[in-house]
């Protein structure tokens, strides 16, 4: 009887450890960023020639030279905070596997100079669009609101709607 209990406990621990392993395997670590080039899901590094930096896909970190050394961070440095990651060209480093892609920085800098563009690239996932068009996905009818509100109060409109109304109705105001 004692042997059966030990066997059941051992089986339970085996199942529990297998379940734990499945959970850790299914965690989505190292997936390409939305702005990364499509078709290269298994790559480790991108080189960004316009800002002379690398992106480590597995660690989700940028690698750039700053303060006399190579730095790894989750964000770009302040001087590149406005850099368009979707629009900038990404060189996929297919021939390097390791932890220090900047070992070959001198080669990368010459071969993939600032402004370099190779074959056309599509992003891994399209850029998210925020603002006015975002509300078009909910099924409400905004036509009445849009025409009434935006045309009447649009500061960028060449003709003020009030002036147009006055001219039509003969108020004499020009």
């Amino acid at each position: 009887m004692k042997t059966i209990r030990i066997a059941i406990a051992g089986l339970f621990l085996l199942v529990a450890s297998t379940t734990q392993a499945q959970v850790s395997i299914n965690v989505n670590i190292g997936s390409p960023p939305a702005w990364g080039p499509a078709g290269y899901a298994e790559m480790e590094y991108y080189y960004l020639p316009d800002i002379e930096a690398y992106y480590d896909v597995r660690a989700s970190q940028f690698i750039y030279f700053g303060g006399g050394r190579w730095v790894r961070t989750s964000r770009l440095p302040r001087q590149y905070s406005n850099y368009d990651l979707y629009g900038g060209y990404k060189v996929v480093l297919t021939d390097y596997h390791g932890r220090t892609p900047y070992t070959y920085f001198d080669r990368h800098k010459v071969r993939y100079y600032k402004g370099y563009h190779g074959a056309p690239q599509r992003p891994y996932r399209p850029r998210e669009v925020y603002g006015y068009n975002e509300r078009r996905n909910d099924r409400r009818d905004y036509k009445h609101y849009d025409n009434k509100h935006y045309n009447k109060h649009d500061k960028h409109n060449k003709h003020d709607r009030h002036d147009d109304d006055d001219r039509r109705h003969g108020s004499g105001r020009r």
Side-chain angles (χ1 to χ4, degrees):
M1 188 70 165
K2 197 174 195 180
T3 313
I4 293 174
R5 286 183 185 169
I6 292 174
I8 290 174
L11 183 61
F12 178 75
L13 289 174
L14 180 66
V15 170
S17 66
T18 304
T19 305
Q20 180 97 17
Q22 287 176 348
V23 170
S24 64
I25 289 172
N26 290 332
V27 173
N28 198 11
I29 295 174
S31 63
W35 50 265
Y40 299 98
E42 301 300 318
M43 293 300 127
E44 294 179 53
Y45 295 100
Y46 307 141
Y47 176 64
L48 310 170
D50 293 334
I51 58 174
E52 296 180 339
Y54 296 90
Y55 183 77
D56 183 339
V57 177
R58 291 184 180 176
S60 300
Q61 291 180 328
F62 292 96
I63 307 168
Y64 60 89
F65 194 77
R69 62 186 180 92
W70 287 95
V71 180
R72 287 178 167 266
T73 63
S74 59
R75 296 177 184 229
L76 286 171
R78 182 178 299 135
Q79 69 263 29
Y80 298 118
S81 61
N82 291 328
Y83 179 71
D84 180 15
L85 289 166
Y86 279 90
Y89 196 80
K90 281 77 62 182
V91 176
V92 180
L93 301 180
T94 57
D95 58 348
Y96 180 78
H97 305 287
R99 296 248 331 125
T100 57
Y102 47 83
T103 302
Y104 300 103
F105 176 68
D106 291 338
R107 291 184 202 167
H108 294 150
K109 183 177 178 177
V110 171
R111 186 171 181 187
Y112 310 113
Y113 49 89
K114 287 185 178 186
Y116 173 85
H117 288 278
Q121 294 178 332
R122 286 179 310 124
Y124 183 69
R125 285 191 305 268
R127 182 188 313 245
E128 291 185 23
V129 178
Y130 298 100
Y132 180 74
N133 292 330
E134 187 175 90
R135 66 180 184 192
R136 296 291 181 195
N137 293 332
D138 63 15
R139 299 207 178 261
R140 289 184 244 163
D141 181 19
Y142 286 102
K143 284 184 181 179
H144 178 71
Y145 176 79
D146 289 344
N147 291 337
K148 186 176 180 182
H149 182 72
Y150 283 107
N151 290 336
K152 190 173 185 180
H153 299 291
D154 187 4
K155 292 179 182 176
H156 302 290
N157 197 351
K158 289 182 182 176
H159 304 288
D160 185 41
R161 187 178 171 110
H162 296 293
D163 288 344
D164 292 342
D165 288 344
D166 291 340
R167 275 189 228 121
R168 269 184 277 169
H169 296 297
S171 70
R173 193 173 122 193
R174 299 224 179 219

